[in-house]
Amino acid sequence: MAESRPSQLNRWSFRLLLAAVSAATMGLLWAETWFTPQAGATGYWNGIVAFTVLGIACDSSFLPLTRISFARVGTSVAFIPFIASVLLFAPPWPMAIAGVTGLVAEAAVRRKPLLRVWFNTAQFMLAVGVAGVAYRALGGHIGFETFEFRFVPFAVLVLLFVAINQGSVSLAISLTSDVPLRETWARIAGRSLLYDLVSSSLALLLAFLYIKLQIFGLAVLVLPLFFVRHMYQMNLQVERVNRELLELMVKAIEARDPYTSGHSVRVAEYARCVARELGLPPKQVDDVATAALLHDVGKIYEEFAPLLRKEGRLTPEERMLMQGHPGRSAELVGTIAEFRGRVQSDIRNHHENYDGTGYPDGLVGEDIPIGARIIMIADTIDAMTTDRPYRKALTLQRALEELGKYAGHQFDPKLVQMVTRSPSIRRLLGPQLASEMPMPRSMQETSRGARARAGS
């Protein structure tokens, strides 16, 4: 189950979404006829309390799922007791369980800002409410006297809950971070959808055990619930460790040259922004950013060490030797199966000029992989706007002029035009841009000679 951590919650578009989700939730509550158990129905009341406590416990075991621009998204296994409650309790008690869970976990346990508490609580309730309406309309059984499983109503219940939960969070992230909705949805669903759908079967088991064993049934399922959480956690840790190992390797390489410290990380950030602005699919955006991060890993070979430490410009012979680093980088990256193909080709061709005068393969125009063309611009931007032994950093104005000067020769002219006019890139690159000119900021670049020295 997804939860949002958007940072720009003061945007009117997010507040409009919050109002819409809240209104829909209140409308559902208003339309439902509250079922009030008799005063002596202790089993019913105990069940509501027990599922609320279980929901709070599950939601409080929150895991960071991914970072999207200025926001973080997290996941928990609270959706399992939420879905099970729809099978057991008459409406709108499942919505009440979800609402109390969100309120307590967000406000009391994690102490999050009011708007975030409000949004996540409302979207939990809305997802449970709409999914519950569809479940009942399709003939789904409700009650804990007997257990009846009907596949179609249950499948629709799960799919609707996941769609509304992840969809509303994706939209909130998109509205507060300028990341396209397609990308936010793909990142959230891509990382947790399979786990959510498989784990939702535990909701059936939870409902069955509660019907048969009451409170003891919940205790039986506590261990499997936290095993599911552990699976989420292990998957996230593997992804995080892999990324950190890549960054560590890049830092080790850049330690040879103090003038390029942090260069690859910055290039990866710029390249991700350009790829996203271009509208590439989220997986390809990630591949471009990974290729940008690793584009110089071939410099770890000893043959490049003297060149990286040299003060001043390279000789023609040294420049020819340095031009071998894209191929060496691609070979090294190709030892990792996941990076063979698009990432490897983007790295190999990130010094191909648009007019065919680049290296190592002399590709021309559209024959150059789009990721390589993006990295060429991002790499050049960073090299031109950082100090090097042979020159001081260029100003933003001069860097943008150089980009335009070599558009169509060294750079893809369409990408140059997009980089210099894109509002999202301008926001990413920040204060320097605003102070110098009304165009994108840190998209900085290097002249052909400077880029050859940087190996960028």
Side-chain angles (χ1 to χ4, degrees):
M1 181 177 65
E3 299 178 1
S4 68
R5 289 191 177 186
S7 62
Q8 301 180 44
L9 300 181
N10 58 340
R11 288 190 175 183
W12 69 267
S13 53
F14 171 74
R15 295 188 178 226
L16 186 61
L17 173 64
L18 176 60
V21 171
S22 302
T25 302
M26 294 302 296
L28 271 177
L29 287 173
W30 181 266
E32 295 284 10
T33 301
W34 282 83
F35 171 74
T36 306
Q38 297 179 354
T42 56
Y44 202 93
W45 293 114
N46 289 342
I48 290 174
V49 171
F51 272 80
T52 302
V53 171
L54 182 60
I56 292 171
C58 290
D59 199 35
S60 298
S61 302
F62 176 89
L63 294 172
L65 176 61
T66 188
R67 183 178 291 276
I68 302 176
S69 188
F70 305 107
R72 282 195 297 165
V73 178
T75 187
S76 76
V77 293
F79 68 96
I80 295 174
F82 287 175
I83 292 173
S85 70
V86 174
L87 308 181
L88 297 172
F89 305 108
W93 288 109
M95 292 181 67
I97 291 171
V100 173
T101 294
L103 188 62
V104 173
E106 293 283 294
V109 178
R110 291 198 287 275
R111 301 181 182 276
K112 296 307 173 184
L114 175 61
L115 286 182
R116 186 199 162 195
V117 174
W118 183 356
F119 174 76
N120 280 325
T121 300
Q123 62 95 356
F124 288 167
M125 296 177 69
L126 181 63
V128 171
V130 172
V133 169
Y135 176 76
R136 297 191 302 274
L138 292 172
H141 176 264
I142 297 175
F144 51 80
E145 293 80 16
T146 59
F147 179 79
E148 294 183 22
F149 170 63
R150 297 171 186 173
F151 176 77
V152 172
F154 181 77
V156 171
L157 165 64
V158 171
L159 291 175
L160 265 180
F161 177 88
V162 171
I164 295 172
N165 170 236
Q166 295 186 351
S168 60
V169 171
S170 299
L171 184 55
I173 296 297
S174 179
L175 294 175
T176 56
S177 66
D178 299 317
V179 180
L181 176 60
R182 181 180 66 169
E183 181 175 349
T184 58
W185 185 293
R187 292 192 185 284
I188 292 172
R191 291 172 183 263
S192 67
L193 182 59
L194 180 60
Y195 287 106
D196 289 349
L197 294 179
V198 172
S199 301
S200 63
S201 61
L202 287 177
L204 287 172
L205 182 58
L206 183 60
F208 175 79
L209 289 175
Y210 185 77
I211 289 171
K212 298 299 182 182
L213 303 174
Q214 298 296 299
I215 299 298
F216 295 105
L218 301 186
V220 170
L221 205 59
V222 165
L223 187 60
L225 280 176
F226 283 90
F227 175 75
V228 171
R229 179 187 180 276
H230 182 69
M231 287 197 306
Y232 280 99
Q233 188 173 34
M234 292 301 295
N235 182 56
L236 297 175
Q237 285 178 345
V238 168
E239 291 183 4
R240 190 179 304 117
V241 168
N242 287 343
R243 183 71 181 184
E244 290 172 352
L245 285 174
L246 292 179
E247 293 183 359
L248 178 62
M249 181 172 65
V250 168
K251 288 178 181 178
I253 297 167
E254 292 183 345
R256 292 185 172 195
D257 184 358
Y259 289 96
T260 60
S261 178
H263 166 73
S264 294
V265 173
R266 293 191 299 271
V267 171
E269 181 184 7
Y270 303 156
R272 181 184 294 278
C273 185
V274 175
R276 177 181 292 151
E277 182 70 17
L278 194 59
L280 298 182
K283 178 62 169 67
Q284 190 169 1
V285 171
D286 286 342
D287 286 346
V288 170
T290 298
L293 179 67
L294 301 176
H295 73 283
D296 279 342
V297 295
K299 291 180 181 178
I300 198 171
Y301 291 107
E302 188 59 31
E303 64 205 68
F304 300 113
L307 308 182
L308 295 173
R309 298 190 185 102
K310 181 179 179 180
E311 297 280 341
R313 291 185 178 274
L314 302 180
T315 66
E317 294 77 15
E318 290 170 333
R319 190 171 295 118
M320 285 294 294
L321 178 59
M322 181 60 79
Q323 288 179 0
H325 85 271
R328 299 286 268 164
S329 297
E331 290 172 8
L332 187 57
V333 167
T335 60
I336 302 176
E338 184 180 353
F339 295 157
R340 293 172 194 158
R342 188 158 55 199
V343 171
Q344 190 176 19
S345 63
D346 286 349
I347 291 173
R348 177 176 177 82
N349 299 123
H350 77 273
H351 271 297
E352 301 287 358
N353 289 339
Y354 196 74
D355 64 358
T357 59
Y359 57 88
D361 300 320
L363 301 181
V364 182
E366 301 293 319
D367 291 336
I368 304 170
I370 184 62
R373 282 178 270 154
I374 291 171
I375 295 170
M376 161 74 87
I377 289 182
D379 191 15
T380 302
I381 282 169
D382 186 69
M384 290 187 74
T385 53
T386 52
D387 289 333
R388 296 300 164 95
Y390 47 87
R391 59 149 177 80
K392 289 291 186 180
L394 300 184
T395 64
L396 174 64
Q397 176 69 44
R398 177 66 188 282
L400 291 173
E401 289 174 357
E402 288 294 312
L403 265 187
K405 180 179 178 181
Y406 290 101
H409 167 57
Q410 190 171 342
F411 311 110
D412 182 335
K414 294 180 182 178
L415 290 181
V416 171
Q417 186 178 41
M418 188 200 74
V419 164
T420 56
R421 295 183 179 180
S422 166
S424 64
I425 292 177
R426 184 164 63 248
R427 279 191 290 269
L428 171 67
L429 300 175
Q432 178 185 336
L433 172 65
S435 63
E436 294 195 42
M437 66 183 301
M439 286 202 280
R441 170 213 156 210
S442 175
M443 296 327 270
Q444 313 134 347
E445 66 283 31
T446 124
S447 65
R448 296 174 66 190
R451 283 176 37 262
R453 168 63 182 88
S456 331

